[in-house]
Amino acid sequence: MRRFFLISQGRALSYAFSCFGLATTAFAAVRGGFWSFLVSPPGLPLAGLALVMLGLSIEETGTVRRIRLGAGIRVFAFLLVLVACAWAIAEGALGSELVVLGGILFGIGAAGATTGFVHDKGVLADIRYGQAIRLETISADFVSLRVRGREIGIPTSILRGVALARDLDGRGVFVLVKSRDDIVGGDELPWVATTREGETFILTEHEAGLDAEVLALRLTEAAAAAQEGGYR
């Protein structure tokens, strides 16, 4: 369920339910036209929904800076839900005949929005937050990863090449190694291709905490240093 509230559809439903919940106690705003609705308590979650979609779109374009910017916009969107709730109470929402229905709808939406907020706040601090795979260090000896809580070390000597990658979730790097058999626990990595040159897995910017170009450069330097007997 938590994963659902982190994708765009789940986030949209969370803010929509928050909006519907407040709208049930503010019929005057609903009848007053779009502008009247927008500058009322139920209008704030609607504005928040637009900001959430904007934040997700920015994050998907990649780079650490834009990932954090997208998360920051979504954190601000959640604050609008809190303001909307306080505003509705101040306007007398608790005295509405439909306060129970409104409270249930708003509670469902707010619960989902809170899940997104906790995630986005974590991403602001460390874009690797919540990732099953996390890059820890890159040295002349190993590329150290934490995969679902387990430490995995990729010998730098088996690196054969890197290339920039992009998918629907953002940017990353394809990492070509001699063989996954040389990696203890390597079957848990996201392998995408097997060729005569070796086997390839993908490491995203979210997982690495680095811009794709920086990650590719550091891996290339580490592989060269391993061949030369020292990391530069």
Side-chain angles (χ1 to χ4, degrees), residues 67-86:
I67 290 170
R68 283 204 171 101
L69 175 59
I73 290 174
R74 296 194 301 273
V75 166
F76 177 74
F78 175 76
L79 297 180
L80 292 182
V81 174
L82 299 183
V83 172
C85 180

Side-chain angles (χ1 to χ4, degrees), residues 124-206:
L124 276 177
D126 182 349
I127 70 169
R128 300 174 300 167
Y129 178 82
Q131 298 296 317
I133 300 174
R134 293 166 58 103
L135 173 66
E136 299 293 338
T137 60
I138 299 175
S139 72
D141 300 315
F142 291 97
V143 176
S144 298
L145 303 172
R146 181 176 291 275
V147 182
R148 298 175 182 84
R150 179 183 179 184
E151 293 286 347
I152 292 180
I154 302 173
T156 317
S157 59
I158 71 171
L159 295 179
R160 292 294 180 265
V162 298
L164 297 181
R166 174 177 286 279
D167 60 19
L168 294 177
D169 296 321
R171 306 194 311 160
V173 170
F174 289 125
V175 183
L176 174 66
V177 300
K178 181 180 178 181
S179 171
R180 75 174 71 182
D181 296 333
D182 297 320
I183 306 171
V184 177
D187 288 339
E188 297 187 58
L189 295 175
W191 301 98
V192 296
T194 299
T195 63
R196 289 181 299 176
E197 290 75 21
E199 298 182 88
T200 301
F201 70 92
I202 186 171
L203 193 62
T204 69
E205 291 180 328
H206 285 85

